[in-house]
Amino acid sequence: MNNKAFIIILLTIIIPKTFAQVAEDSLKYIPVNNQINFLSTRFNKQLNTYFLNTGFLYNKRINKFLFNLSENYNSTFTRSIERSTRDEHVFKLSGSYTLNQKLRIGAAVINKIYSDSRKIEINQASSSNATIFGVINPFKQIIISPFLGYSNNRQIGESNNGLLYGAEAYINNLRLSNFNIISKLKFKNEDIFPRKNTQRFYNFSVINNFNENVANYINIKYLQDRKDFYFTADSITAKQFGIVNNIQSRIETSNLLQDKLRYDKLFNIFSMNLEGNVNWRSIDRNTKYHSLLILSPSIFDTKIDELKVALVSSIKYHSKIFTGTFRFSHSERDEKHLTKNLKGARDILYEERSKLESRKNNNSVRNEASLFGIINFSKSDILGFSFYQNKLTYNTPSINNYDDRDVLLSIIRLRYTKIISPFFDIFINTQGTYNHLVYIYSEKSSNNNVNRILSLEAGGNYHGSFVKSSNKFEVAANYTVYDFEALTPDFRSYSFRQYTATDSTSIKISNDFSFIHFGYIKLSEQGDLKWASFSTRPTRYLQEIFSIPKFQINYYNILFSLGLRYYSLITYNFNGLKKVVSSSYKSIAPLSEITYSITNKLNINFYGWYEFITMRNGIHKQQANLTLQMNWNF
């Protein structure tokens, strides 16, 4: 047996059985892809919400030293009746030294902070760890990285410390005969007594190219993530065990088996894809301290088991006149909610909790079929069409659950494009949607309804030397009809109709000076519907207008824009057939934009407007909105 074959067997057979698990599909100590140095920051203020995001990544190699630094910070501040602030910060610093072509050693520091001013279960958390690691290259395509360190983890006032250790491995495009192998593995333990966090991840992919037109792709994936977190203990448990916070472990495990077959140039006009996959997943919750003095079903832990099987096939036809794709998929999913028994607990409480959990059990079958095609009648006449059909059957085994339902969804679309000249084309587009929801049991059958959506859109695009303009006009109608509205007066069939006109135009006045406009008008009407006679009684009318005209100047790498932002929304109620104003909102705002860019290296953008707002009953207010963003790739 040669060395490469031995390593493959080691990573694909022995390691999965030894470690058994991982949670995230990313390697921390093995850089799989070359990363670009960048600095990015974005500040946004909309209404009463302020958002700041900053990201930084820097990699530097000096002879045998490799230096990595990354930082990501997110902050959201909401100013309302009750002000709230949420901050997330992740900082990573690592350095390594290359001893030889097969070995590199290094150290890394990672710090994470989460803070939320709201009174939620976990509103303060942080973790810091320092590790030493090695990167071993036994062969060119294979990398192994063991690591060892110390971790500090803090949640809602509880601080825990302990060892952090594990290993990563990566196989990058290893070729054995006609097989191309890619694999990732991660094993990580964080022993911060009395808690323990673990990550397990294994992904093994094999591509077998029989020839240039036929290939088979096999993927095996295993993921597991265990997180132990504190939550405030109830008074009885706290007194019995002398604790302030209890501990719950959440272990999520997922397995995937997938096989894809690709067949190109079938009879020189078809290409075909076949795929099958099986995915089974579980979510296991375990609470450390249980008090049998609590006479409630809530003392029991639970587990969720899910199994999903899917088959997908598609076939594509291509010729000079017609290109089309047909796709069909069938999937089945089964979900079970289980109650875990507790020694010494009362059987009647266990049976009650089991009954409550079993009501959540469900299984579903989904069939999907779609057809998409483009017909080129000529170089200037193009017809596109698509059809989508979806059937969902959702069942709940419990006799106390009445959510069993069937859902049928059909969507058909036609689009005709006429290219009149190299500068001008027109189009007409129509779409229809039919959705039928049927609850099987009478307890929920009052929700049974049919939803129909019809739309017709037409427009054109002009692309000249000095003028570019895209305009479209759309009318849409949405009708929802309840099956038993005569028996349930709380459910009334309704209609929603809307007319929309949209304009996007730019006029080049000179090489560096242009005028740009974007805007739309929407007129909407809601009403009660009688489908049998196809008559409506309007109940609400909305008029919405949005427009941004602006002048733009180009000066070397700087773009200046100055304009006006106008937004108006008026709602009407009906007194008989007469419209009566219910509310109004009008905003007029001068706006400006400055953008500085150098190809893909540096981009700085400032965009803001200051609103003068007028509402009904003479209410006036002023408000600033601002977006400031910088991206620097270096």
Side-chain angles (χ1 to χ4, degrees), residues 75-307:
S75 179
T76 303
F77 172 71
T78 303
R79 185 178 61 186
S80 58
I81 299 175
E82 183 176 335
R83 298 185 178 187
S84 65
T85 305
R86 185 180 64 200
D87 296 321
E88 298 177 60
H89 180 243
V90 179
F91 174 83
K92 301 177 184 178
L93 173 65
S94 68
S96 61
Y97 178 78
T98 302
L99 296 173
N100 53 53
Q101 292 182 348
K102 295 185 180 295
L103 178 61
R104 179 160 52 92
I105 59 173
V109 175
I110 301 176
N111 183 60
K112 301 179 182 179
I113 300 174
Y114 174 80
S115 175
D116 197 320
S117 62
R118 297 174 299 173
K119 295 180 180 180
I120 56 178
E121 191 62 48
I122 300 179
N123 63 353
Q124 301 287 335
S126 66
S127 68
S128 303
N129 60 70
T131 57
I132 57 174
F133 63 90
V135 180
I136 306 168
N137 288 80
F139 301 97
K140 182 178 180 180
Q141 298 91 348
I142 299 174
I143 307 174
I144 302 172
S145 178
F147 56 89
L148 172 67
Y150 188 78
S151 177
N152 173 269
N153 194 300
R154 184 177 179 84
Q155 280 184 8
I156 57 175
E158 299 268 6
S159 184
N160 304 129
N161 307 286
L163 286 178
L164 173 69
Y165 56 92
E168 299 175 348
Y170 180 54
I171 301 176
N172 183 23
N173 293 319
L174 180 63
R175 297 194 63 84
L176 294 176
S177 185
N178 292 328
F179 296 94
N180 188 25
I181 299 173
I182 301 173
S183 184
K184 293 181 184 179
L185 178 143
K186 186 173 184 179
F187 166 83
K188 178 183 176 182
N189 270 12
E190 189 178 16
D191 296 335
I192 46 174
F193 184 80
R195 295 187 293 140
K196 184 172 185 177
N197 297 324
T198 63
Q199 295 179 349
R200 308 288 188 263
F201 168 71
Y202 177 67
N203 188 4
F204 178 70
S205 302
V206 179
I207 302 174
N208 184 9
N209 294 297
F210 297 101
N211 55 52
E212 62 179 1
N213 297 320
V214 182
N216 189 38
Y217 170 85
I218 298 174
N219 179 233
I220 302 172
K221 184 182 289 187
Y222 178 88
L223 301 102
Q224 187 185 77
D225 189 11
R226 170 178 171 168
K227 295 293 184 185
D228 287 6
F229 59 91
Y230 286 108
F231 65 97
T232 305
D234 61 86
S235 58
I236 297 176
T237 305
K239 183 177 181 180
Q240 181 177 349
F241 295 98
I243 60 174
V244 176
N245 298 311
N246 207 337
I247 299 174
Q248 184 177 99
S249 298
R250 185 185 186 276
I251 305 174
E252 181 172 356
T253 307
S254 178
N255 301 269
L256 173 69
L257 295 177
Q258 187 178 42
D259 189 10
K260 297 180 182 179
L261 178 63
R262 174 182 59 83
Y263 202 129
D264 293 333
K265 294 184 179 180
L266 184 64
F267 304 116
N268 292 322
I269 56 174
F270 292 102
S271 62
M272 181 176 65
N273 288 279
L274 298 174
E275 176 187 343
N277 63 72
V278 180
N279 191 331
W280 62 100
R281 185 173 71 106
S282 67
I283 300 175
D284 195 358
R285 294 183 176 89
N286 298 289
T287 305
K288 185 170 184 179
Y289 299 101
H290 293 274
S291 176
L292 300 181
L293 300 176
I294 300 176
L295 303 181
S296 169
S298 62
I299 63 173
F300 297 96
D301 291 322
T302 60
K303 183 180 180 181
I304 302 173
D305 288 330
E306 181 187 71
L307 174 64

Side-chain angles (χ1 to χ4, degrees), residues 264-425:
D264 293 333
K265 294 184 179 180
L266 184 64
F267 304 116
N268 292 322
I269 56 174
F270 292 102
S271 62
M272 181 176 65
N273 288 279
L274 298 174
E275 176 187 343
N277 63 72
V278 180
N279 191 331
W280 62 100
R281 185 173 71 106
S282 67
I283 300 175
D284 195 358
R285 294 183 176 89
N286 298 289
T287 305
K288 185 170 184 179
Y289 299 101
H290 293 274
S291 176
L292 300 181
L293 300 176
I294 300 176
L295 303 181
S296 169
S298 62
I299 63 173
F300 297 96
D301 291 322
T302 60
K303 183 180 180 181
I304 302 173
D305 288 330
E306 181 187 71
L307 174 64
K308 185 176 181 180
V309 180
L311 297 172
V312 182
S313 65
S314 65
I315 186 167
K316 183 177 181 179
Y317 172 83
H318 178 74
S319 67
K320 293 182 179 180
I321 298 176
F322 175 70
T323 298
T325 301
F326 175 77
R327 184 180 183 274
F328 176 80
S329 68
H330 173 84
S331 63
E332 298 185 14
R333 186 179 66 87
D334 184 77
E335 181 178 289
K336 287 184 171 60
H337 293 252
L338 307 172
T339 302
K340 302 167 71 172
N341 206 346
L342 186 61
K343 186 177 180 180
R346 297 190 180 187
D347 291 340
I348 189 171
L349 296 177
Y350 173 74
E351 292 174 2
E352 185 178 347
R353 183 60 184 268
S354 297
K355 186 179 296 185
L356 291 172
E357 289 298 313
S358 66
R359 292 184 61 178
K360 304 175 186 177
N361 295 343
N362 66 86
N363 57 75
S364 61
V365 177
R366 185 186 296 273
N367 291 294
E368 294 179 302
S370 62
L371 177 64
F372 170 79
I374 296 177
I375 304 174
N376 298 292
F377 294 108
S378 67
K379 292 183 179 180
S380 60
D381 296 277
I382 302 170
L383 177 66
F385 66 88
S386 63
F387 175 74
Y388 175 78
Q389 183 74 45
N390 183 320
K391 172 66 183 298
L392 170 67
T393 300
Y394 181 87
N395 297 312
T396 56
S398 173
I399 59 174
N400 297 312
N401 193 329
Y402 308 109
D403 283 338
D404 297 50
R405 59 187 180 271
D406 290 341
V407 182
L408 178 66
L409 173 64
S410 304
I411 303 174
I412 187 169
R413 183 180 183 184
L414 294 171
R415 180 185 176 94
Y416 172 73
T417 302
K418 175 69 175 180
I419 302 175
I420 297 175
S421 73
F423 311 104
F424 184 53
D425 64 81

Side-chain angles (χ1 to χ4, degrees), residues 40-46 51-54 592-596 603-609 625-631:
S40 174
T41 184
R42 177 183 175 87
F43 173 78
N44 183 270
K45 190 263 182 186
Q46 292 282 335
F51 175 75
L52 174 65
N53 168 255
T54 300
S592 63
E593 182 177 9
I594 303 174
T595 300
Y596 176 77
N603 181 275
I604 301 174
N605 176 260
F606 165 85
Y607 184 78
W609 67 93
N625 299 273
L626 174 66
T627 298
L628 180 62
Q629 182 172 346
M630 183 190 72
N631 294 294

Side-chain angles (χ1 to χ4, degrees), residues 484-503:
F484 305 109
E485 65 174 348
L487 303 177
T488 54
D490 293 336
F491 292 86
R492 286 189 174 183
S493 300
Y494 61 90
S495 66
F496 180 81
R497 297 169 178 170
Q498 186 174 79
Y499 167 79
T500 305
T502 305
D503 170 70

Side-chain angles (χ1 to χ4, degrees), residues 581-586 613-622:
V581 175
S582 173
S583 66
S584 65
Y585 179 98
K586 183 172 69 173
I613 300 170
T614 303
M615 291 182 283
R616 200 183 177 204
N617 300 325
I619 299 175
H620 298 274
K621 59 186 293 189
Q622 299 177 18

